[in-house]
Amino acid sequence: LESMFDGAAQNSLLSITRRLDPVDDLFNPDDASHLYRVAQETLSNILKHSKAATAKVGLERDLHHVRLWIEDDGEGFVATGSASPLPSGGLGLSSITERVRILKGTLEITSLPGKGTRIDILMPRSSEAT
């Protein structure tokens, strides 16, 4: 995750601040891959769609959970439909939603036009991790 965010900051105009707790020992390889892909897709959405100048990333751990949150100061979006937080055509966000489901986590997306977007994921630590 560190190198992915470093690379994005170096290759774009996006300023990224982050605090990433070490979690390498908390997930089995499949779950670690899903977590990485969620962060990657979120970053990709910010770079492609948000027109953000800054982003903040947090990866925090406690005894039972890991929380990943990513927020930007970009354009934001309006949710379509009361049951879905996704903008129409949001295949990237659909992928994030599916991966969070696989991780048995919860996903909260907060976004308002002109106010940016925050994605907050809370997931249990992998029961198969060593």
Side-chain angles (χ1 to χ4, degrees):
L1 290 177
E2 285 280 349
S3 76
M4 177 178 57
F5 290 117
D6 284 344
Q10 291 172 359
N11 295 314
S12 72
L13 298 176
L14 184 66
S15 172
I16 303 172
T17 56
R18 61 190 178 272
R19 177 174 169 253
L20 304 176
D21 288 350
V23 297
D24 291 345
D25 61 332
L26 302 182
F27 293 102
N28 66 50
D30 288 341
D31 288 353
S33 177
H34 286 300
L35 178 62
Y36 180 85
R37 296 294 179 208
V38 165
Q40 184 179 48
E41 186 62 45
T42 301
L43 179 59
S44 176
N45 285 346
I46 291 170
L47 293 170
K48 287 181 186 176
H49 305 295
S50 76
K51 298 181 182 170
T54 65
K56 296 178 184 175
V57 179
L59 184 62
E60 304 159 348
R61 64 189 272 177
D62 65 25
L63 289 176
H64 303 288
H65 297 92
V66 172
R67 178 182 304 276
L68 171 66
W69 58 268
I70 303 173
E71 64 183 33
D72 67 62
D73 65 351
E75 293 184 338
F77 57 85
V78 175
T80 57
S82 59
S84 172
L86 307 179
S88 60
L91 294 178
L93 291 174
S94 295
S95 172
I96 290 168
T97 300
E98 178 61 15
R99 289 182 187 277
V100 171
R101 184 194 65 75
I102 291 167
L103 290 167
K104 297 178 178 71
T106 60
L107 170 66
E108 183 177 336
I109 301 172
T110 307
S111 187
L112 291 171
K115 302 291 183 184
T117 301
R118 178 178 169 110
I119 295 188
D120 199 333
I121 299 155
L122 181 67
M123 66 209 100
R125 291 162 71 157
S126 175
S127 60
E128 298 173 34
T130 56

